[in-house]
Each structure stands twice: as structure tokens, then as C-alpha cells.
Amino acid sequence: MKRLIPTLKQDNVSVELIMLIRTILAASKEISFRVSQGALAGILGSTLDENIQGEVQKKLDVVANQLLKDMLLDDDSVRTIASEEEDNVVAGHANAPFIVAFDPLDGSSNIDINGQIGTIFTIYPARNDVSDDSDLQFSQPGKNQLCSGYILYGAATMLVMTTGGPTRCYTLDQTHGGYLLTTDELQIDQDTQEFAINMANTYSWYSPTQLYIQQLLLGLAGDREKVFNMRWNAAMVGDVHRVLTRGGIFLYPEDKRTGMQAGKLRLLYEANPMALLVENAGGKAYSGKMRILDIQPEYIHQRVPVVLGAKNEVAAYCSYLVDV
Ligand code: AFP
């Protein structure tokens, strides 16, 4: 099986970007080890703190964030970082070429139940027209991403990543410690019979989403005349990995609950990196009727509605969205 670095070189990735990717993956291996140790690593349970999102921080949230933050700020190719767990951006090395944003531990509510969790990361070119410690470093549409990916800490530790070309899947070889290429190019079928959404929010959705999901549930008796199945991992990394590997559509729409008027998922370090992975695997990724990668960010912790996956199914959902 092919190793990571020869694959990246074949994809014409610059040496300095390869070195930065290696920094991120070094942190992922440490996180993977601690996750695999579970209670033995003393990383289960919650801290007494909340992050800027108002979410109680799990011990592993804090550990994973600190690992990535320390290793990235020690990498002289990194000008600025942003994290779900950091209120503001943190400046690194002046004049460095890259900025990095990450969700250090996506799916925190799954940690204590040994469920799927992961790290999501994205790399942009640094901006020379704003200061290194300015949030405006990340005021770039997702189509500017140089690289995006996630590490899924599941039964196997898997890296799914794109550097602008195909979305590729690697598996961490626990014996030798390297990521080996296990799926050369992920491809999402244009159609699907599997959807992912948190059905508990049904009565909070706006009517377009309610009507769309209702037709999926009606199966052969509904307008779609097709039987659908449902899955919900409560961790975007797990749901998106399923969509990338066996197809489907994933939705986290806006709803009427307090604080959910723009949905729950964050544009910078959840929606954008996943959108690039999905599009480079032949899928679509929209926020309402707008392509996620075209959104001009307003601030680093901005939330957006997300629908992504099989291109014809995303189009079917968008057809329910009336022009407001
Ligand atoms: P946590 O990291 O707080 O568990 O949230 C995970 C997440 O941001 C995303 O990964 C999931 O798709 C989504 O939230 C699950 O949200 P619900 O708990 O409302 O289903």
C-alpha cells in the first residue's frame, strides 16, 4: 500500500504544505492513542469550563485542542490558527505562508459512550493585507482552502483529505505508525436512499425541511416513490465519512430553536472543510440555496445551515426551499 508522502508528492503538493500536514497528523496520532485508551487515559468526562459556543468542554476537547495548538504554533509555516475551543485566533510565526483552523474534537457528546469522534482541519494561504493576530486572516471563502480533511477515531483511525484534487482515504497503520492510502479516490453516487438528520428537531424545522423529510418517510407512497433509510451519528465526522464511503445526504438545517436560526454547524472548521471533501468526491455541499464554498465568512465562529452529499439528492432538498 502507498504511503502518505509519495501520494502527496504525486498530487504535486508543495514540500512546505506536506510538512504542515505532517504536523497536524503527528497531533492526530497522539489524540488517537489517548482516545483508544479511554478511561485509562483519564480523558473521559467534562471539565468545569465552557467554550465560546457555550458548550461544556470535555476533557478530551481541551487535551486535543492543546496538542494541536502547541504543535501548530511550533511549526514555522503557520502564521495564525483558529479553533472551535479558542475564543479568538492565535498568531504564530510572522510572514509564515499558512493559516490553520480546526475543530480539535468533533462529536464530543460521543466521547463518553465510545462513539465516533474526530478532528477536522483546514489550511488556507495566509493574508498579507491584515495583521497576523486578526480574525480577518480567516475572512476567506471556503474555495480558497489549500487542503482540508478529518481524522476519524473509530474502530480504525482514518484520515480523509483533499489537497485540491481527489478526496483520498488513508488508514493509520498502528504497527508502523504511518497513514497508508486505502481508498485512492472517494466517489459519492449522484443518487441515494439514505439520509442523516436529527429527527428530534422535526417540530423546530421550517416547513421546507419538514415537507422534504416527510416525503422521504412516506417511501413508495410518497412523491419520491422510493424507500429511504436513516442514520444519525451525532458527530459530523462520522456522518460525513459514511456519506463519502457509501453515499447519502447529510442535513443540519436552521430551525426555530434559540440560537439555531443559522443552524448548529460552524462554517470555518466544520462546513467548509467537509464541503471541499464532498465536492472533490463528486457531491454537492449547500447552505440553503448557496454553495458553501462560495460563502464570504462574517466571523470565525459563524454558524451556517448545511446540506451535503449525493448531488441529485441535495438538488431535491434545495427544490423545497422557496425563494425568500
Ligand atoms: P458536539 O461536538 O458538541 O458533540 O457536536 C457535534 C456537532 O457539532 C456535529 O459534529 C454533529 O453533526 C452535530 O453537532 C450533532 O448535533 P445534535 O447533537 O443536535 O444532533
Side-chain angles (χ1 to χ4, degrees):
M1 287 196 180
K2 208 167 182 180
R3 290 183 298 108
L4 173 74
I5 293 188
T7 304
L8 294 178
K9 287 181 175 174
Q10 171 197 315
D11 287 345
N12 300 314
V13 180
S14 70
V15 171
E16 51 184 7
L17 184 53
I18 290 175
M19 298 309 286
L20 174 52
I21 291 168
R22 291 187 70 190
T23 296
I24 294 170
L25 297 185
S28 79
K29 292 174 188 175
E30 176 65 28
I31 297 168
S32 172
F33 173 73
R34 300 204 185 190
V35 166
S36 68
Q37 291 291 99
L40 304 178
I43 45 94
L44 300 185
S46 301
T47 67
L48 299 176
D49 302 317
E50 281 191 0
N51 61 19
I52 191 171
Q53 331 282 343
E55 299 161 342
V56 173
Q57 290 182 308
K58 299 283 190 181
K59 289 176 187 170
L60 191 56
D61 281 327
V62 174
V63 169
N65 183 62
Q66 200 60 51
L67 273 167
L68 280 157
K69 183 177 173 183
D70 291 346
M71 293 180 96
L72 286 168
L73 293 178
D74 197 35
D75 185 316
D76 58 15
S77 73
V78 177
R79 186 173 312 184
T80 311
I81 65 166
S83 168
E84 181 193 44
E85 303 302 334
E86 300 285 333
D87 296 1
N88 304 298
V89 303
V90 181
H93 298 262
N95 306 315
F98 305 114
I99 61 174
V100 184
F102 54 92
D103 180 352
L105 220 295
D106 177 64
S108 305
S109 55
N110 282 350
I111 293 171
D112 296 348
I113 59 164
N114 201 29
Q116 282 188 320
I117 52 180
T119 296
I120 308 171
F121 64 91
T122 177
I123 302 171
Y124 288 81
R127 290 179 58 173
N128 296 317
D129 58 338
V130 298
S131 65
D132 296 358
D133 62 354
S134 167
D135 288 9
L136 294 177
Q137 281 289 343
F138 292 94
S139 184
Q140 304 184 47
K143 57 194 169 190
N144 286 13
Q145 293 173 97
L146 300 170
C147 170
S148 82
Y150 59 80
I151 299 96
L152 177 63
Y153 309 111
T157 291
M158 302 183 86
L159 164 67
V160 175
M161 182 170 67
T162 179
T163 51
T167 297
R168 304 189 190 283
C169 184
Y170 306 80
T171 302
L172 181 60
D173 174 2
Q174 301 286 4
T175 51
H176 300 97
Y179 282 96
L180 301 180
L181 182 66
T182 42
T183 304
D184 193 34
E185 295 189 23
L186 289 168
Q187 275 298 320
I188 304 173
D189 289 349
Q190 296 190 16
D191 298 298
T192 184
Q193 290 183 249
E194 191 161 70
F195 69 98
I197 195 167
N198 184 342
M199 293 297 288
N201 301 331
T202 296
Y203 296 108
S204 302
W205 296 329
Y206 291 94
S207 54
T209 301
Q210 288 179 331
L211 292 170
Y212 167 72
I213 295 294
Q214 184 183 52
Q215 290 305 323
L216 302 190
L217 295 175
L218 283 169
L220 296 172
D223 298 347
R224 306 297 304 275
E225 298 179 330
K226 190 170 161 182
V227 175
F228 283 82
N229 188 29
M230 194 211 95
R231 287 287 183 273
W232 188 247
N233 280 48
M236 192 182 193
V237 284
D239 282 311
V240 171
H241 190 69
R242 185 187 55 255
V243 169
L244 284 164
T245 50
R246 77 180 191 205
I249 184 171
F250 167 89
L251 306 99
Y252 210 114
E254 70 280 16
D255 65 54
K256 299 166 188 168
R257 291 175 296 163
T258 305
M260 291 293 174
Q261 290 80 355
K264 177 179 182 183
L265 303 178
R266 275 59 56 126
L267 175 62
L268 175 59
Y269 39 78
E270 289 173 321
N272 266 331
M274 296 306 201
L276 189 66
L277 291 167
V278 166
E279 284 203 1
N280 289 349
K284 272 191 171 184
Y286 272 61
S287 185
K289 287 199 161 184
M290 186 166 185
R291 180 181 177 241
I292 287 173
L293 295 178
D294 289 336
I295 296 174
Q296 180 55 46
E298 292 167 8
Y299 67 100
I300 59 170
H301 297 298
Q302 176 183 352
R303 297 173 190 265
V304 292
V306 173
V307 55
L308 58 78
K311 61 169 47 176
N312 292 343
E313 198 55 41
V314 170
Y317 172 74
C318 289
S319 71
Y320 282 77
L321 302 177
V322 294
D323 291 323
V324 290

